[in-house]
Amino acid sequence: MQLRDDRERFAAAGLQIVAIGQGSAATTREFAARMELPFPLLADPRREAYRAYGLTSMQLRRELNPGSLMRGLQAVRRYGAAAAQDQDPRQLGGVFVIDTDGVIRYAFRQQRMSDVPPNDDLLRAIAAS
């Protein structure tokens, strides 16, 4: 996880990371422990935050290609793939930088499961706000 791996850079820039998972509180706690996340992971079992931020579901025909499948297999090997029954494996995520006034300074919405914004983009958004 890029956010975990670059946590020192984010802290130095004054960024507080908070992640939101779509599972129950128990599932979210288990995932956070397994991934050794050094930041809060909040539970959103009804995916209200996902809808509020305009995050959509995966388009199967877009994902079924050799490149996406290979990146997906690499992610499964690295992070595991145990999706709980209370999660929708098609749900796409996003990354947002929100300033202390609640203004979204950066928004990245996944179009594919393998989409991940570069951490340098997030750090530039912080510097610009």
Side-chain angles (χ1 to χ4, degrees):
M1 296 198 75
Q2 284 184 191
L3 294 176
R4 179 191 61 207
D5 297 344
D6 269 350
R7 65 186 171 274
E8 290 89 12
R9 289 178 67 201
F10 290 124
L15 178 70
Q16 170 66 45
I17 297 173
V18 177
I20 299 174
Q22 60 172 313
S24 66
T27 301
T28 300
R29 271 192 306 275
E30 291 168 12
F31 179 80
R34 187 174 77 239
M35 298 302 293
E36 300 177 2
L37 298 180
F39 47 80
L41 178 62
L42 307 177
D44 182 15
R46 286 178 271 187
R47 292 184 295 284
E48 293 172 5
Y50 289 83
R51 284 189 296 281
Y53 282 89
L55 301 172
T56 61
S57 294
M58 172 179 62
Q59 302 284 324
L60 282 178
R61 65 181 175 273
R62 187 183 296 163
E63 291 295 318
L64 295 177
N65 65 66
S68 288
L69 291 174
M70 183 58 85
R71 286 187 297 273
L73 289 172
Q74 290 169 342
V76 166
R77 263 189 250 125
R78 185 170 181 190
Y79 302 117
Q85 290 179 338
D86 62 354
Q87 296 177 335
D88 180 354
R90 299 170 302 125
Q91 177 66 58
L92 294 171
V95 177
F96 301 87
V97 173
I98 304 168
D99 70 16
T100 56
D101 294 324
V103 176
I104 297 173
R105 298 294 179 179
Y106 176 87
F108 181 92
R109 293 171 180 85
Q110 285 182 313
Q111 298 299 307
R112 292 184 167 84
M113 287 298 222
S114 59
D115 289 347
V116 179
N119 285 346
D120 287 337
D121 289 357
L122 306 176
L123 291 165
R124 276 192 291 279
I126 296 163
S129 58

